[in-house]
Amino acid sequence: MKSVAILGASGYSGQETLDRVLAHPGLELVALGSDSLAGSPAGAFDPRLQRLGLPDFTTNDEALAAGADVVFCCLDHERAAGLSCSEQLSRVVVDLSGAHRLADPAAYDEWYGFVHPHPESLAGWSYAVPELSPPTTGLIANPGCYATAVLLALQPLVGAIEPDGVVVDAKSGVSGAGRTLKESSHAGAVLETLTPYRVGTHQHEPEIAQALGFDVCLVPHLLPVRRGLVATCYAVPAADDLRERLEAAYAASAVVTVVPEGAVPELSRVQGTDAAEVGLFADRATGRAIVICAIDNLGKGAAGQAVQNANLALGLEETAGLRLAGVPV
Amino acid sequence: MKSVAILGASGYSGQETLDRVLAHPGLELVALGSDSLAGSPAGAFDPRLQRLGLPDFTTNDEALAAGADVVFCCLDHERAAGLSCSEQLSRVVVDLSGAHRLADPAAYDEWYGFVHPHPESLAGWSYAVPELSPPTTGLIANPGCYATAVLLALQPLVGAIEPDGVVVDAKSGVSGAGRTLKESSHAGAVLETLTPYRVGTHQHEPEIAQALGFDVCLVPHLLPVRRGLVATCYAVPAADDLRERLEAAYAASAVVTVVPEGAVPELSRVQGTDAAEVGLFADRATGRAIVICAIDNLGKGAAGQAVQNANLALGLEETAGLRLAGVPV
Amino acid sequence: MKSVAILGASGYSGQETLDRVLAHPGLELVALGSDSLAGSPAGAFDPRLQRLGLPDFTTNDEALAAGADVVFCCLDHERAAGLSCSEQLSRVVVDLSGAHRLADPAAYDEWYGFVHPHPESLAGWSYAVPELSPPTTGLIANPGCYATAVLLALQPLVGAIEPDGVVVDAKSGVSGAGRTLKESSHAGAVLETLTPYRVGTHQHEPEIAQALGFDVCLVPHLLPVRRGLVATCYAVPAADDLRERLEAAYAASAVVTVVPEGAVPELSRVQGTDAAEVGLFADRATGRAIVICAIDNLGKGAAGQAVQNANLALGLEETAGLRLAGVPV
Amino acid sequence: MKSVAILGASGYSGQETLDRVLAHPGLELVALGSDSLAGSPAGAFDPRLQRLGLPDFTTNDEALAAGADVVFCCLDHERAAGLSCSEQLSRVVVDLSGAHRLADPAAYDEWYGFVHPHPESLAGWSYAVPELSPPTTGLIANPGCYATAVLLALQPLVGAIEPDGVVVDAKSGVSGAGRTLKESSHAGAVLETLTPYRVGTHQHEPEIAQALGFDVCLVPHLLPVRRGLVATCYAVPAADDLRERLEAAYAASAVVTVVPEGAVPELSRVQGTDAAEVGLFADRATGRAIVICAIDNLGKGAAGQAVQNANLALGLEETAGLRLAGVPV
């Protein structure tokens, strides 16, 4: 059994990570960090957890210092950037924030709005989508939710699509914005509507560009749903084997399914799971390729992928602890 | 007072048209057609209408034959195409279906799936967005909901954007799919999810292309909301006065508002109304122009625009009967 | 034209009141109070208002001192209780908060959690549901949203139902909780779920009891909708003319509709309007009477009723400025 | 390994049962019945199932004849009533429909609208809520979703509440109405609204009355959510140990949690799971006891409870195959 600490365990992605860890046959929770809940029982959000004999919440510093084999860091970007993580401290660190995703420190100024406190450390982190670029070190930068969906849709097609003119129109449920109270997450601003936000300025664009090798035009929209993310990607084809490339990329995957020709990826099938669906279409009028990816922003887009990455780094079964079966209602 | 007949008055757009007509100081309802409800009282969907002394539902043929000054045709595409409408029959006919929008009869085979029964008549119809191309005859083809939003966003920019590579990612509430029972409109398939549909094959594309002069890549998505439509349009700018062009186009309009720089169009402000909002953004990474338009698919996207067009054709106040004030919750 | 000031105009009910006032042929806005937005233009929430030449936001004190003929007070309970309102100051004051609804000052300690600062003033206020108890003075305590729905359902039946054992199960959209940020209004806590709250302790119970003459057991639930309220009321019948009593009570009303036997009140028909629907049923197993009332919590449950009350107090047309037509999608 | 056949496997509860069976370490699917899908692959609704080597859909008759150890019958009431099920045919039959829940055949005429074709067989079926009345035979009538929630809330309190005057106000997501297309399940009739239905006439009332020993007044409401059910139950207390009784009833249960005093059951914690939460409150004004139960209508309210019952009948681990961990967003 590998021991696990979770930092930022009171947020959505922290809670989801906890859920996967508790279902994992090879992981054992030893520390649950949350500065706001330190001292509270693990079941603060769910009385059912009281039965399980879990450790109480501690501060994040205490949780980091617990010496766990694996640390899942679910802190905000700037706080995570400030941590001095190292493989000496824990064998595996998976950072779910954006703090270690970009190789270029200057990009943090531009896209995240803060100066990275440890620019020299960035080269030590492995940006990892398990199906496309599995982790190569124990320091793992877990991709952003939008980036995950876009890369699953487009990375297998690099070389077969024109790098210019790629458009990504993305839609996410409100849990993607986290549990913090803000006007844009007030139910009165979310229910029964759809809102574009950070139009043309979302911080997941540079990690997509870094992985694909070219920029895309990314516009995210807030959906009136709790969880789930659909990325609709538009590109000019430069080859005629796009479907074959996608199918080959995921032929061995238990996580990503390429849906049959004519079928659309169904968000409802992946909500509450760590699975992904990808579909490919050709536009009748312009011939453009349309690649659609559906994931759960908290599953494959965050906690599920984090556990999947940790499994690979630890040499465990890749899908241990993941939720892959869905209930399509 | 001008007399009004509504055909297909039992559907969503028929009911919305009825609502505008009842609020209109210059229109008087004389016939309410619905083959399925013929003989029923006008208040079949709303007991409050019982107080108003409205005519009962008749068949659509009877309603058409009532000799009203204005006929609003809310029938399905194929049924509407089969009508022999003429200005002899009524001074003004506004067809809310797609049956008279396309100048090229062959396009009906390709995009609508039926052979147009009156191809020779198509030249007599005026495809009319009041702010961009007001009606020039009494036979008015009211634009589709997606087309309305896209044209409001892009038509003032023709000449200032590259005609190649325009992408339109559109999202609509379920009322856009009508009241007919089908699997895709079952609440279990709509609630808490988002579904792309008719990907790259939606029949509003050719009317957009006809009006803009070039094709676009259009993908519609079904939103888990009752009503409302957002079109996010992506284009390569070919001039630097895009905002000025949009503001000039709508400076005199009481219907369309260009929101200030940095603000996003808010769907909630236009839901339940006949107003529209347009916003313009530049993508940081690629410089692409992003133009977003929000309308109510049943308001500016159907019944509101139909009444607005009828007002123009009849020489009435353009916004009479329209709902323009919103309640932004 | 009567002049109007709105206090607390930045909240949901303030904005809705503004919407009715702007549509009212006999009212003219002269002051718009909001301590947080003082100095901002009236169109802070809606750029379309810029065209109308409205006064800027001022502080609430300034708005109160503007000497308007009518003051709509949309402040929170405790702030409103602290105002020294009088008919000397303005001819009509409509308080949409709970600060002047209860005749017994001690009830404020128990149900609202504060000591009423002006207990002697309470007797001067008229608790007014226009259809049941129209205002008798210019100081009008506008009923709570839940109380409005419950009184419309039950007050005509007093004497025909047993006063013991009345249960009210009520459900409201999130706008009933106001625009303030709190965990329970975060979209992640509201979407795709239903939450009972203030179970057995909601502050609208005492005003219901005061009007009916007996206590009820009231449990409110938060619905995943923006606006709208349904109260399902259960009572043991003590007469057999319940339907006749309801129909008689609202026979002359343009606001309240008793739906036909077998039909249910439809929330979607009253959302966005100031109308109400009431339906009556008998339980097959127990014979209990079930009376259901649907209103819009911000319409008949707040701003619409406030304007209706002001109309009565000013001698204007009762429904002037109200939204009574609905669009049932 | 016990072999399993599912009848009516194309409906919501059939699909959910399949999901539990696939996750169950002691069950093996051998037949998947659906008259409409016979001949189609098991993955008709979910392409991910293609990988699992499942049997194709057959007719329901063929699936019943497959001689499985356990049959889950997810057919409609009347079709299920017509089956000649027996323990000779299969060791365990769990009927998720209402066809075998009521001991009194005449009740089928009144509440279900059909004459029961096998009235003599009803005595052989065991109406089973595992925590309250575990199955005593292999023929198991799985309780209705509303009945499950109401019995979990009230059955432990029988003797401690007055049998007269119990009111149950229940709210369910749309999946409770099944996959069949009907006007009331059209998304336009469900989204952003709440609708009472079968007011005072719902067919789950008699099974509740049969289990409790007295009638209740039951009103169901359709929620704008996909899945999940909340029953708010009102009763006059006849003892002061209600909380103790509830806690004692579920002290040993891994499925039902009594939430702490002051806390409300949270639907979001049980959605997508087979767990239940129960909360108890006292009404301040009337002293009435309010007992609230939250379940997933397709989980504990259908498929989860069916598998739980089958586990008990087969002597397997009670919670094998169940989903009990939740993700509270």
Side-chain angles (χ1 to χ4, degrees):
Chain A
M1 297 290 282
K2 305 296 181 184
S3 59
V4 171
I6 302 175
L7 313 187
S10 60
Y12 287 147
S13 59
Q15 288 284 302
E16 295 276 323
T17 302
L18 174 60
D19 178 74
R20 270 56 169 191
V21 169
L22 295 178
H24 196 299
L27 298 182
E28 181 183 17
L29 182 76
V30 296
L32 204 55
S34 164
D35 290 346
S36 61
L37 289 181
S40 305
F45 293 107
D46 187 346
R48 293 171 297 185
L49 299 184
Q50 306 290 30
R51 304 184 183 99
L52 303 184
L54 303 181
D56 287 350
F57 282 99
T58 65
T59 64
N60 287 311
D61 284 342
E62 290 167 335
L64 181 59
D69 295 319
V70 194
V71 174
F72 292 102
C73 173
C74 305
L75 300 172
D76 66 72
H77 309 305
E78 197 161 359
R79 181 77 203 283
L83 292 181
S84 289
C85 293
S86 72
E87 294 186 62
Q88 280 68 46
L89 189 63
S90 288
R91 192 163 148 204
V92 172
V93 180
V94 185
D95 184 2
L96 284 80
S97 87
H100 299 98
R101 292 182 195 147
L102 304 179
D104 175 10
Y108 284 94
D109 302 58
E110 182 179 0
W111 293 92
Y112 283 85
F114 65 85
V115 178
H116 202 290
H118 298 297
E120 74 293 347
S121 75
L122 292 171
W125 290 76
S126 176
Y127 182 86
V129 177
E131 293 79 7
L132 304 169
S133 54
T136 55
T137 76
L139 296 179
I140 300 170
N142 209 54
C145 52
Y146 287 120
T148 297
V150 174
L151 295 179
L152 290 176
L154 295 184
Q155 195 161 330
L157 303 181
V158 171
I161 54 174
E162 300 291 345
D164 280 346
V166 174
V167 166
V168 176
D169 190 284
K171 303 93 179 169
S172 172
V174 73
S175 57
R179 194 171 254 155
T180 307
L181 301 184
K182 37 192 170 180
E183 285 182 19
S184 55
S185 294
H186 187 288
V190 176
L191 284 158
E192 192 67 3
T193 189
L194 172 90
T195 308
Y197 68 101
R198 295 193 209 169
V199 179
T201 64
H202 195 280
Q203 74 276 6
H204 288 179
E205 199 283 332
E207 64 182 276
I208 295 169
Q210 177 179 279
L212 293 182
F214 51 79
D215 276 308
V216 304
C217 174
L218 169 67
V219 177
H221 300 72
L222 179 60
L223 283 178
V225 309
R226 283 201 298 218
R227 45 196 302 158
L229 186 159
V230 173
T232 312
C233 307
Y234 303 83
V236 176
D240 56 9
D241 63 346
L242 272 54
R243 175 166 292 277
E244 290 71 20
R245 287 174 185 246
L246 288 170
E247 289 177 347
Y250 305 117
S253 174
V255 171
V256 184
T257 300
V258 179
V259 298
E261 188 146 8
V264 292
E266 284 198 15
L267 184 56
S268 62
R269 281 197 297 252
V270 299
Q271 282 171 316
T273 83
D274 302 321
E277 295 195 359
V278 176
L280 174 69
F281 300 84
D283 182 52
R284 182 189 286 175
T286 69
R288 198 164 277 248
I290 303 158
V291 198
I292 302 174
C293 181
I295 61 171
D296 190 312
N297 55 300
L298 293 175
K300 182 62 177 169
Q305 185 149 274
V307 171
Q308 191 182 358
N309 273 323
N311 286 339
L312 291 176
L314 292 164
L316 303 176
E317 171 76 25
E318 180 177 344
T319 59
L322 300 196
R323 294 179 158 234
L324 293 174
V327 278
V329 182
Chain B
M1 296 291 282
K2 304 295 180 184
S3 60
V4 171
I6 302 176
L7 313 187
S10 60
Y12 287 147
S13 59
Q15 287 285 300
E16 294 276 324
T17 302
L18 174 60
D19 178 74
R20 270 56 168 190
V21 169
L22 295 178
H24 196 300
L27 298 181
E28 181 183 16
L29 183 75
V30 297
L32 204 52
S34 164
D35 290 345
S36 60
L37 289 180
S40 304
F45 293 107
D46 187 345
R48 293 172 297 186
L49 299 185
Q50 307 290 32
R51 303 185 184 99
L52 303 184
L54 302 180
D56 288 350
F57 282 100
T58 65
T59 64
N60 288 310
D61 284 343
E62 290 166 335
L64 181 60
D69 295 317
V70 194
V71 174
F72 292 102
C73 173
C74 305
L75 301 171
D76 65 71
H77 309 304
E78 197 161 358
R79 180 77 202 284
L83 292 181
S84 288
C85 293
S86 72
E87 292 186 64
Q88 280 67 47
L89 188 64
S90 288
R91 192 164 148 203
V92 172
V93 179
V94 185
D95 183 1
L96 284 80
S97 86
H100 300 97
R101 293 182 194 147
L102 304 180
D104 175 11
Y108 284 94
D109 303 57
E110 180 178 3
W111 292 92
Y112 283 85
F114 65 84
V115 178
H116 201 289
H118 297 299
E120 74 293 348
S121 76
L122 292 170
W125 289 75
S126 175
Y127 182 86
V129 178
E131 292 79 6
L132 303 168
S133 54
T136 55
T137 76
L139 296 179
I140 300 171
N142 209 53
C145 52
Y146 287 120
T148 297
V150 174
L151 295 179
L152 290 177
L154 295 183
Q155 194 161 331
L157 304 181
V158 171
I161 54 175
E162 300 292 346
D164 281 347
V166 174
V167 166
V168 176
D169 190 284
K171 303 93 179 169
S172 172
V174 73
S175 57
R179 193 170 254 154
T180 307
L181 301 185
K182 37 191 171 180
E183 286 182 19
S184 56
S185 294
H186 186 288
V190 177
L191 282 159
E192 193 66 3
T193 189
L194 172 90
T195 308
Y197 68 99
R198 296 194 208 168
V199 179
T201 64
H202 194 281
Q203 74 276 6
H204 288 179
E205 200 282 332
E207 63 183 273
I208 296 170
Q210 177 178 279
L212 293 182
F214 51 80
D215 276 309
V216 304
C217 175
L218 168 67
V219 177
H221 300 72
L222 179 60
L223 282 178
V225 309
R226 283 201 297 219
R227 46 197 299 158
L229 185 160
V230 173
T232 312
C233 307
Y234 303 83
V236 176
D240 55 10
D241 64 344
L242 272 55
R243 176 166 293 277
E244 290 71 20
R245 287 174 185 245
L246 288 169
E247 289 178 346
Y250 304 118
S253 174
V255 172
V256 184
T257 300
V258 179
V259 297
E261 188 146 8
V264 292
E266 284 197 17
L267 182 57
S268 63
R269 279 197 299 251
V270 298
Q271 283 171 316
T273 83
D274 303 320
E277 295 196 0
V278 176
L280 174 70
F281 300 84
D283 182 52
R284 183 189 286 175
T286 69
R288 197 164 278 248
I290 302 158
V291 198
I292 303 175
C293 180
I295 61 171
D296 189 312
N297 54 300
L298 295 175
K300 182 63 177 168
Q305 185 149 275
V307 171
Q308 191 181 358
N309 273 323
N311 286 339
L312 291 176
L314 293 164
L316 303 176
E317 170 76 25
E318 180 177 344
T319 59
L322 300 197
R323 294 180 159 233
L324 292 174
V327 278
V329 181
Chain C
M1 297 290 283
K2 305 294 180 184
S3 60
V4 172
I6 302 175
L7 313 186
S10 60
Y12 287 147
S13 59
Q15 286 285 300
E16 295 276 323
T17 301
L18 173 60
D19 178 73
R20 271 59 170 187
V21 169
L22 294 179
H24 196 300
L27 298 181
E28 181 184 16
L29 182 75
V30 297
L32 204 53
S34 163
D35 290 347
S36 61
L37 288 182
S40 305
F45 293 109
D46 188 345
R48 294 173 296 187
L49 300 184
Q50 306 292 31
R51 303 184 184 100
L52 304 183
L54 303 180
D56 287 349
F57 283 99
T58 66
T59 66
N60 287 309
D61 283 343
E62 290 167 335
L64 181 59
D69 296 318
V70 195
V71 174
F72 293 101
C73 173
C74 304
L75 300 171
D76 66 73
H77 308 305
E78 197 161 359
R79 179 78 203 283
L83 292 181
S84 288
C85 294
S86 72
E87 294 189 62
Q88 281 68 46
L89 188 63
S90 289
R91 193 164 149 202
V92 172
V93 179
V94 186
D95 184 1
L96 284 79
S97 88
H100 299 98
R101 294 182 194 148
L102 304 179
D104 176 11
Y108 284 94
D109 303 57
E110 182 179 1
W111 293 92
Y112 283 85
F114 64 85
V115 179
H116 202 289
H118 298 298
E120 74 293 345
S121 75
L122 292 171
W125 289 76
S126 176
Y127 181 87
V129 178
E131 293 79 8
L132 304 168
S133 54
T136 55
T137 76
L139 296 179
I140 300 170
N142 208 54
C145 52
Y146 288 120
T148 296
V150 174
L151 295 178
L152 290 177
L154 295 183
Q155 195 160 327
L157 304 181
V158 171
I161 54 173
E162 300 292 346
D164 280 347
V166 174
V167 166
V168 176
D169 190 284
K171 303 92 179 168
S172 172
V174 74
S175 57
R179 193 171 255 155
T180 308
L181 300 185
K182 38 192 171 181
E183 286 181 19
S184 56
S185 295
H186 187 287
V190 177
L191 283 160
E192 192 66 4
T193 188
L194 172 90
T195 308
Y197 69 100
R198 295 193 210 168
V199 180
T201 64
H202 194 279
Q203 75 276 4
H204 289 178
E205 199 283 331
E207 63 181 276
I208 295 169
Q210 177 178 280
L212 293 181
F214 51 80
D215 276 308
V216 304
C217 175
L218 168 68
V219 177
H221 301 71
L222 179 59
L223 284 177
V225 309
R226 283 202 298 218
R227 43 196 303 159
L229 187 159
V230 173
T232 312
C233 307
Y234 303 83
V236 176
D240 54 10
D241 64 345
L242 272 55
R243 175 166 292 276
E244 290 72 18
R245 287 176 185 244
L246 288 170
E247 288 177 348
Y250 304 117
S253 174
V255 171
V256 184
T257 300
V258 180
V259 298
E261 188 146 8
V264 293
E266 284 197 18
L267 183 56
S268 61
R269 281 197 297 251
V270 298
Q271 284 171 316
T273 82
D274 302 320
E277 295 195 1
V278 176
L280 175 69
F281 300 84
D283 183 52
R284 182 190 286 175
T286 70
R288 198 164 278 248
I290 302 158
V291 198
I292 303 174
C293 180
I295 60 172
D296 189 311
N297 54 300
L298 294 175
K300 182 63 178 170
Q305 185 149 273
V307 171
Q308 191 182 0
N309 272 323
N311 286 339
L312 292 175
L314 291 164
L316 304 176
E317 171 75 26
E318 181 177 343
T319 58
L322 300 197
R323 293 180 159 233
L324 293 173
V327 278
V329 182
Chain D
M1 297 290 283
K2 305 294 182 185
S3 60
V4 172
I6 302 177
L7 314 187
S10 60
Y12 287 148
S13 60
Q15 287 285 301
E16 295 275 323
T17 301
L18 173 61
D19 178 73
R20 271 60 169 186
V21 169
L22 295 178
H24 196 300
L27 297 181
E28 181 183 14
L29 183 75
V30 297
L32 204 53
S34 164
D35 290 345
S36 61
L37 289 182
S40 304
F45 292 108
D46 187 346
R48 293 171 297 185
L49 298 184
Q50 306 291 30
R51 304 185 184 98
L52 304 183
L54 303 180
D56 286 350
F57 282 99
T58 66
T59 66
N60 288 310
D61 284 342
E62 290 167 334
L64 181 60
D69 295 318
V70 195
V71 173
F72 292 101
C73 173
C74 305
L75 301 172
D76 66 73
H77 308 305
E78 197 161 359
R79 179 77 203 283
L83 292 181
S84 288
C85 294
S86 73
E87 293 186 63
Q88 280 68 47
L89 189 63
S90 288
R91 194 164 148 203
V92 171
V93 180
V94 186
D95 184 2
L96 283 80
S97 87
H100 299 98
R101 293 182 195 149
L102 304 179
D104 176 10
Y108 284 94
D109 303 57
E110 182 179 1
W111 293 91
Y112 283 85
F114 66 84
V115 178
H116 202 289
H118 297 298
E120 74 294 346
S121 75
L122 292 171
W125 290 76
S126 176
Y127 181 86
V129 177
E131 293 78 8
L132 304 168
S133 54
T136 55
T137 76
L139 296 179
I140 300 170
N142 209 53
C145 53
Y146 287 120
T148 296
V150 174
L151 295 178
L152 290 177
L154 294 183
Q155 195 161 326
L157 303 182
V158 171
I161 54 173
E162 300 292 345
D164 280 348
V166 174
V167 166
V168 176
D169 191 284
K171 302 94 179 167
S172 173
V174 73
S175 56
R179 193 171 253 154
T180 307
L181 301 185
K182 38 192 170 179
E183 286 182 18
S184 56
S185 295
H186 187 287
V190 177
L191 282 160
E192 192 67 3
T193 189
L194 172 90
T195 308
Y197 68 100
R198 296 193 208 168
V199 179
T201 64
H202 195 279
Q203 73 277 6
H204 289 179
E205 199 283 332
E207 65 182 274
I208 295 169
Q210 177 178 279
L212 293 181
F214 51 80
D215 276 310
V216 304
C217 174
L218 169 67
V219 177
H221 301 71
L222 178 60
L223 283 178
V225 309
R226 282 201 298 219
R227 43 197 302 158
L229 186 159
V230 173
T232 312
C233 307
Y234 303 83
V236 176
D240 56 9
D241 64 345
L242 272 55
R243 175 166 292 277
E244 291 72 19
R245 287 175 186 245
L246 288 170
E247 289 177 346
Y250 305 117
S253 174
V255 171
V256 185
T257 300
V258 180
V259 297
E261 188 147 8
V264 292
E266 284 198 16
L267 183 56
S268 62
R269 279 197 298 251
V270 299
Q271 283 171 316
T273 84
D274 303 320
E277 295 196 0
V278 176
L280 174 69
F281 300 84
D283 182 53
R284 182 189 286 175
T286 70
R288 198 163 276 247
I290 302 158
V291 199
I292 303 174
C293 181
I295 61 172
D296 189 311
N297 54 301
L298 294 175
K300 182 63 177 167
Q305 186 149 271
V307 171
Q308 192 182 358
N309 272 323
N311 286 340
L312 291 176
L314 293 164
L316 303 176
E317 170 75 25
E318 181 177 343
T319 58
L322 300 196
R323 295 180 158 234
L324 293 174
V327 277
V329 181

